[in-house]
Amino acid sequence: MPQLAPNSSAPKLSGSTSITVSFPAPGTIAVHGQEMFGDPDTPVCRAFLRRVFLVPEIRGATIKAAPACCAELHFDTKRHAAKEVLWKVADCLAEEDAVPAEGEAAPVFAPMITARDRHGVVHYHRFGKRVTGWQVVSDQTGSIRLKNPVLYRKNNLCQAIERELMSVLGVDRYKTHSLRCTVQIDYDPRRLSQANLIEILDSALETAEHQEELDKLDLDLTICTLSIPLAATAQFAVPALLPVSAAVFAYTSIPCFQGAYEHLLKEKRIGCDFLDSIVVLGCLGTLQILPGAVLAWCLSFGRLLVKKTEDNSKKMLLNAFGKQPRYVWLVKDGVEIEVSMDKVQKGDIVAVHTGDTVPVDGHIVEGMAMIDQHALTGESTPAEKGVGDRVFASTIMVAGKIFVSVEQSGSETASSKISQILNDTAGYKLSSQNKGERLADQAAVPTLVVGGIAMATIGPGGAVAALNSDLGTGIRMAAPLALLSSLALCAQKGILVKDGRALELMSKIDTVLFDKTGTLTRECPEVGRIITADGFAEKEVLMYAAAAEQKFHHPIALAILNKAEEWGIGLPATDETQYKVGYGIDVGVNGHRIRVGSPRFMEMEGIALTQEIKEGLDAAHLEGFTMVMVAIGDRIGGALELRAAVRPEVKEIVAGLRARGVKHLAIISGDHEAPTRKLAEELGMDRYFAQVLPADKADYVDKLQQEGRTVCFVGDGINDSIALKKANVSISLRGATSIATDTAHIVFLEQGLGKLCELRDISRELERNIARSWAMIIAPNVACVLGVFTLGFGVAASVFTNNVAALAALANGLLPMRKVALLEAERRHQLELELKRAGCANVDPTGIHEAGTAAEAVDAAAEIDEADDGGRSALAA
């Protein structure tokens, strides 16, 4: 027990290390000791921290090295008295083998490097079972803001965090700020907990490179802002300040001279920076410092605005694709424990449950399941998977439960490699100088000519005023800003634009060529013919099949259930005691044993197919359809033909494209002539190409282009990649093959064509936005030039007119961001409603539950009630 010092109320703790205690502020206990806290990295300091955080009342600790040599322990004064907490700390330090209190777990410490600020002070905070450098600043449903002083002026650490969050399944939005030392994360609480997020952030900081030097502060806009009142004072009140003001103005104009050097000497072109440099020299030469300072401020503000919008747009684009789970259920000694992905090694066994995203590449060692691989392989229907079959990361478990032996995890999985390809291509074919720079360059030479005329007729003042009324400065910022804002709007709407030029060109498209299979047809098939056997009726066969499938939500089940609903068939209850899922479904219905599955499943069950079923099966294969067998008792009762269904939105899309000025619509397919012609007539297409070999699709794109058409190709298959490259604009659907999504200029992140008309609208609005910016810039600047020659306008009038016009154009370029903000607010509101419905309260807080056999897991998955099924459906979505 500690002893009190003779002349102080602060106790001195006994032991091998000399320490004293004080109370510098309410809720703070300061422990002083040179040997213990002179270097926070010493074992004795770490041991001290491990012990004091065994006291539940301690919420945080601040370790200050020499010369302070102290640790400040923080607690809640509203709930605990200082001396009460102090004695508990003293007891913990005095015990030889201190252990956590009953029911408490020993805290896990983040490395000190993730919690040490630039002054060497370590800031630790308790968060659940973790002691971390992150402090919660604000916390709302699905959104958290965290602060860590280690980020101060360390952009490389912020970038490391952003790279980590970019690929995390469940993270919707994120934003880092190195000066405020904060990270703002919008996330899905159904997939990630706050503790998960903090562990991810600690991991990112631990593996990042920590540099001693701080980043240089970007004070360009700040200095430009301060230079305006300085210039005004010098111009109108204190002329003695003119040299200082001129020097500050010249300093703020350095980016103009750098840009002029790049354009003139390296790129061999006259750009806006060259004109701006002449104007700067003219302002300095005529001592028009105030107009020059205003010019420098407007240019700096424009550069900052474009950079910020570009960064945000990149994040939205890269954040929209390639998410992967970060936590898995690792099986150890028959127990499933939730661990982070980086702890999983080759050969480990992980459990995957109904509704989960498969976290690794591997093969099944136990269990059976239906897995939706559409997002990775392009398969339109879930695949039956059993022992020995391979599974891939980022695919979705539709039904069942499996145990997977890990072959590849993390960045080595097929899904992760595809995501990396997308990150590389999306980062960044967009050249923000595309249209704006071209337009600005076109205006540069005429402006020089006008300036030369003014120099000859009016003098230097008029020449500077005329040159400053250039048309390029505003448009070279407004055009890329409009493009970036439009890209952000596309990302918010679920459209990944990988090349900004494609978005610009989309408004000029006059021909759309659709690949038929997987593009015009949807992933969920429809029931066609119903073939019966042994005297069973069609309705009877459909009723038994639908009853067996009623607990599932994969495409085949939905097709059968939709057909039963269309025919008005009521579904009888199933005998839960006989419910089994494997290569097919085995269930009791109305006293009969019903088995539904593939022909292979019937063969495994020893059920022979009748002649009419075999003939129907052969006919279906010739037409590219599949058949689902239905056994009633021990004999085959019938078969359901599943055929590709035209996407419900296609007719509306065709009409919408025609209304938006697309003149020619065509289908290309490898299918036979008859079904392709029938679909083309049904949809009102202008042309179709049937029985086209994969390698020849690009030739048909070239053929249309030779007819003078600007072609947009929409496809989703591996055999479409050459055609996607050949087209002026290429679009792929989410769930397409990886090569298609890699090659296409644009990827729709929702399955279906519903975004095609919206994409056309955004592209046309982008064109109108740039035209509007042009008008905003041309009209006042032309008027100003006329004023220079007729009304004697000077540099001040020119700077005012030019920069007001430029700022108005910049504001116009940002208009799409208003729609982005509205959509984001709507998304947040929808998420809150979904979270309230789902409850998010049925997560095992310990992260541990018993692992049963595969058969038990499949039975349990089949018995999920409606509420839980709703939550898992939301997870799968």
Side-chain angles (χ1 to χ4, degrees):
M1 189 68 71
Q3 302 294 321
L4 293 178
N7 57 353
S8 171
S9 61
K12 180 178 179 180
L13 301 182
S14 61
S16 60
T17 303
S18 176
I19 57 177
T20 58
V21 176
S22 64
F23 303 94
T28 301
I29 300 172
V31 183
H32 305 265
Q34 184 173 359
E35 182 181 346
M36 183 175 290
F37 306 117
D39 181 3
D41 283 320
T42 58
V44 65
C45 182
R46 292 176 184 172
F48 171 85
L49 285 171
R50 282 197 299 271
R51 290 202 176 194
V52 297
F53 273 100
L54 292 176
V55 179
E57 289 80 2
I58 299 298
R59 308 310 305 162
T62 304
I63 310 297
K64 299 178 181 178
C69 298
C70 75
E72 294 181 351
L73 310 179
H74 309 291
F75 60 94
D76 186 355
T77 56
K78 294 180 181 179
R79 301 176 60 185
H80 309 287
K83 289 191 176 181
E84 171 196 351
V85 176
L86 175 61
W87 296 124
K88 288 187 178 182
V89 170
D91 287 341
C92 252
L93 293 174
E95 292 177 15
E96 291 294 330
D97 298 311
V99 295
E102 188 176 351
E104 296 285 340
V108 178
F109 280 79
M112 278 194 180
I113 195 171
T114 68
R116 183 184 283 113
D117 67 17
R118 66 189 185 281
H119 303 300
V121 178
V122 178
H123 304 267
Y124 270 135
H125 307 275
R126 186 194 296 274
F127 193 92
K129 299 176 183 178
R130 194 169 186 85
V131 177
T132 175
W134 294 96
Q135 181 181 11
V136 178
V137 178
S138 64
D139 178 15
Q140 299 176 353
T141 304
S143 180
I144 189 170
R145 189 180 181 198
L146 299 155
K147 184 175 183 179
N148 191 332
V150 75
L151 298 183
Y152 182 73
R153 290 172 60 184
K154 296 288 183 69
N155 280 320
N156 67 309
L157 297 183
C158 291
Q159 290 168 5
I161 288 171
E162 290 178 357
R163 284 194 299 270
E164 195 77 8
L165 293 175
M166 185 185 298
S167 61
V168 177
L169 186 69
V171 172
D172 298 323
R173 298 286 183 273
Y174 52 87
K175 183 178 182 181
T176 60
H177 198 295
S178 63
L179 285 179
R180 297 176 190 156
C181 307
T182 58
V183 177
Q184 176 78 38
I185 305 174
D186 293 346
Y187 66 100
D188 186 344
R190 296 166 296 184
R191 292 191 181 275
L192 290 169
S193 67
Q194 293 180 351
N196 292 152
L197 290 173
I198 288 178
E199 187 174 347
I200 291 168
L201 294 176
D202 280 337
S203 174
L205 287 181
E206 183 179 3
T207 56
E209 182 181 352
H210 290 256
Q211 301 171 349
E212 290 296 328
E213 62 275 7
L214 301 177
D215 295 331
K216 291 183 179 179
L217 287 173
D218 184 3
L219 299 174
D220 186 53
L221 184 61
T222 304
I223 296 174
C224 288
T225 302
L226 295 174
S227 72
I228 293 177
L230 176 63
T233 303
Q235 197 96 45
F236 301 114
V238 186
L241 291 176
L242 272 175
V244 177
S245 177
V248 173
F249 167 50
Y251 176 80
T252 59
S253 302
I254 289 176
C256 291
F257 293 108
Q258 290 174 335
Y261 174 80
E262 292 286 332
H263 293 161
L264 198 61
L265 298 182
K266 292 188 177 181
E267 300 178 18
K268 308 299 182 184
R269 65 186 179 92
I270 297 175
C272 292
D273 286 318
F274 177 71
L275 299 179
D276 290 336
S277 298
I278 295 176
V279 173
V280 169
L281 293 174
C283 289
L284 288 171
T286 58
L287 291 181
Q288 296 288 322
I289 307 301
L290 179 58
V294 173
L295 167 67
W297 183 89
C298 290
L299 292 174
S300 177
F301 178 74
R303 287 192 296 267
L304 180 67
L305 194 59
V306 171
K307 183 178 183 300
K308 186 175 181 180
T309 306
E310 182 174 354
D311 289 344
N312 289 340
S313 298
K314 283 184 180 181
K315 287 178 186 177
M316 293 189 74
L317 290 172
L318 299 178
N319 191 48
F321 204 89
K323 300 294 188 180
Q324 295 186 65
R326 289 302 305 270
Y327 293 87
V328 299
W329 291 103
L330 182 66
V331 179
K332 288 286 187 183
D333 301 323
V335 176
E336 296 174 21
I337 305 173
E338 189 180 36
V339 300
S340 61
M341 178 69 77
D342 56 8
K343 292 186 172 67
V344 176
Q345 299 178 353
K346 184 176 180 179
D348 283 344
I349 305 297
V350 299
V352 190
H353 309 81
T354 300
D356 287 352
T357 300
V358 178
V360 296
D361 290 353
H363 62 274
I364 301 174
V365 295
E366 186 178 349
M368 290 184 178
M370 299 287 288
I371 299 182
D372 181 0
Q373 301 186 138
H374 194 251
L376 191 65
T377 66
E379 296 175 56
S380 61
T381 56
E384 301 175 54
K385 297 285 185 177
V387 175
D389 289 335
R390 291 206 70 201
V391 294
F392 300 96
S394 296
T395 55
I396 305 295
M397 283 279 292
V398 174
K401 177 178 177 179
I402 54 175
F403 295 87
V404 179
S405 177
V406 178
E407 295 176 1
Q408 304 285 355
S409 63
S411 61
E412 297 300 318
T413 64
S415 171
S416 181
K417 289 175 181 176
I418 292 170
S419 300
Q420 187 58 49
I421 292 171
L422 284 170
N423 288 347
D424 292 341
T425 53
Y428 211 40
K429 287 183 183 176
L430 167 66
S431 172
S432 59
Q433 67 183 28
N434 270 354
K435 199 162 204 172
E437 288 287 0
R438 290 197 304 270
L439 295 173
D441 287 348
Q442 291 169 7
V445 174
T447 304
L448 275 176
V449 172
V450 172
I453 295 172
M455 183 71 179
T457 58
I458 304 173
V464 172
L467 285 175
N468 188 66
S469 297
D470 69 293
L471 308 178
T473 300
I475 198 63
R476 70 168 177 168
M477 295 182 182
L481 199 60
L483 181 55
L484 290 164
S485 300
S486 298
L487 289 173
L489 178 59
C490 286
Q492 189 71 36
K493 286 179 173 287
I495 303 170
L496 174 65
V497 181
K498 294 159 56 184
D499 190 338
R501 290 165 293 187
L503 182 60
E504 293 178 349
L505 193 57
M506 190 64 198
S507 63
K508 297 179 174 60
I509 291 295
D510 57 25
T511 301
V512 179
L513 180 62
F514 294 95
D515 180 55
K516 173 177 171 284
T517 307
T519 304
L520 295 177
T521 56
R522 58 183 178 180
E523 65 278 1
C524 183
E526 62 183 8
V527 176
R529 293 182 300 159
I530 299 178
I531 303 172
T532 60
D534 285 344
F536 290 101
E538 290 184 356
K539 279 195 172 184
E540 192 176 8
V541 172
L542 181 59
M543 181 268 291
Y544 281 125
E549 296 278 8
Q550 63 184 305
K551 289 183 178 294
F552 297 100
H553 295 83
H554 55 77
I556 292 176
L558 293 175
I560 295 172
L561 291 167
N562 289 340
K563 191 68 172 180
E565 183 180 358
E566 180 186 328
W567 282 18
I569 298 175
L571 302 184
T574 56
D575 184 352
E576 303 295 333
T577 62
Q578 297 184 27
Y579 214 113
K580 296 178 182 177
V581 181
Y583 286 98
I585 300 170
D586 190 338
V587 62
V589 180
N590 288 346
H592 297 283
R593 184 184 181 188
I594 305 299
R595 279 166 282 189
V596 180
S598 62
R600 181 174 66 157
F601 177 59
M602 295 299 151
E603 182 181 346
M604 291 169 58
E605 295 292 310
I607 298 174
L609 304 183
T610 62
Q611 187 60 34
E612 59 264 36
I613 297 290
K614 291 180 180 179
E615 292 174 358
L617 189 59
D618 292 338
H621 285 166
L622 288 175
E623 296 184 45
F625 303 148
T626 58
M627 300 286 281
V628 174
M629 307 293 123
V630 182
I632 304 170
D634 293 325
R635 54 197 178 126
I636 193 74
L640 309 178
E641 180 187 72
L642 296 175
R643 56 181 63 180
V646 177
R647 294 184 184 274
E649 72 273 16
V650 170
K651 289 186 178 180
E652 185 179 341
I653 292 295
V654 168
L657 289 174
R658 292 201 184 280
R660 288 163 173 80
V662 178
K663 299 175 181 177
H664 199 79
L665 299 172
I667 298 176
I668 191 167
S669 175
D671 286 353
H672 297 295
E673 174 89 10
T676 306
R677 182 180 66 249
K678 181 181 177 183
L679 181 61
E681 292 172 352
E682 179 186 343
L683 297 177
M685 295 287 180
D686 298 297
R687 203 188 311 189
Y688 69 90
F689 307 104
Q691 294 181 294
V692 179
L693 295 174
D696 297 335
K697 289 185 178 181
D699 294 337
Y700 284 87
V701 173
D702 187 55
K703 178 181 177 181
L704 290 169
Q705 289 173 332
Q706 289 178 5
E707 294 174 5
R709 304 182 188 278
T710 306
V711 181
C712 172
F713 182 82
V714 186
D716 78 335
I718 190 170
N719 50 33
D720 299 333
S721 58
I722 301 175
L724 288 166
K725 285 185 177 180
K726 184 70 177 175
N728 301 94
V729 176
S730 54
I731 298 174
S732 174
L733 310 185
R734 176 105 189 231
T737 57
S738 60
I739 291 181
T741 52
D742 178 32
T743 306
H745 300 129
I746 299 169
V747 179
F748 289 168
L749 300 183
E750 295 178 3
Q751 296 174 359
L753 295 168
K755 302 295 182 182
L756 193 52
C757 289
E758 285 188 74
L759 177 64
R760 175 83 167 186
D761 289 339
I762 293 173
S763 178
R764 295 174 77 180
E765 180 54 38
L766 170 61
E767 188 174 44
R768 287 192 290 267
N769 187 291
I770 294 175
R772 197 161 52 240
S773 292
W774 250 128
M776 289 177 173
I777 290 165
I778 290 175
N781 280 285
V782 169
C784 184
V785 170
L786 293 175
V788 168
F789 284 98
T790 60
L791 301 175
F793 284 2
V795 177
S798 173
V799 167
F800 176 80
T801 304
N802 181 265
N803 289 292
V804 166
L807 291 176
L810 290 176
N812 176 63
L814 279 173
L815 283 178
M817 296 303 292
R818 293 181 60 188
K819 296 180 181 178
V820 174
L822 290 173
L823 289 170
E824 176 63 15
E826 185 179 327
R827 185 195 69 82
R828 295 279 309 154
H829 179 66
Q830 187 63 33
L831 175 62
E832 289 179 7
L833 293 178
E834 289 177 3
L835 291 175
K836 287 178 182 177
R837 285 198 296 267
C840 294
N842 49 356
V843 180
D844 179 9
T846 64
I848 303 173
H849 56 265
E850 293 297 322
T853 65
E856 290 171 346
V858 171
D859 290 343
E863 294 170 9
I864 296 172
D865 60 26
E866 276 191 339
D868 192 75
D869 187 50
R872 290 192 178 275
S873 297
L875 279 173

